[in-house]
Amino acid sequence: MLTTLKTSYTDTRAADLAWALGREPLPALAVLDLELSGAKLQLRLLGASHQVLLEEEGRTCSETVACMPGSSTPLPLGVSKRVGGWDYEFAARVETLSDGSFAGRAQELLALVADHPNGLAGTFPGSPHAFTAMLAQRHEGQVRWRTWHAYPQEGQLVVTRTRIGARMPAAL
């Protein structure tokens, strides 16, 4: 699903993003409710940021990546921990692209997410390459999602990947 977010694009910076687990639902500009083999997942666009709410078998998890005033947890490169009996893994990276490469990558990602049944993307009025996009799936008993946060004024794309679920057996 692709939507135009009803808010002005503010020049936030990729470096201002912070990460948090367990936050209450924040006001969202767009929401996509999904049912993935028994897991209830809510993808939430919060402007230039995201929140994912997961509920399965009476357990819940909330992941927020946003510009959160007063947050002392910057966006980590990686996190691996136990959350509510699940294994939770988060990874983030920042891609810095030239203007031409950024425009092409933005179009590619928006096309990927816009028509995907488990995808949500929001573009901002006034900047064709300013967007936040999310894509979720269920794979081998785990719920996974990827997000992209575009900052065209900096030529930066923040890419995150999350995996949560039962512990995967070690490969032999």
Side-chain angles (χ1 to χ4, degrees), residues 98-141:
S98 68
D99 287 346
S101 294
F102 191 93
R105 184 92 164 109
Q107 290 174 337
E108 174 186 279
L109 289 169
L110 287 172
L112 169 73
V113 175
D115 294 329
H116 196 287
N118 298 341
L120 175 63
T123 58
F124 294 89
S127 181
H129 303 123
F131 68 91
T132 301
M134 308 171 73
L135 190 59
Q137 68 174 355
R138 179 139 190 149
H139 181 70
E140 296 180 350

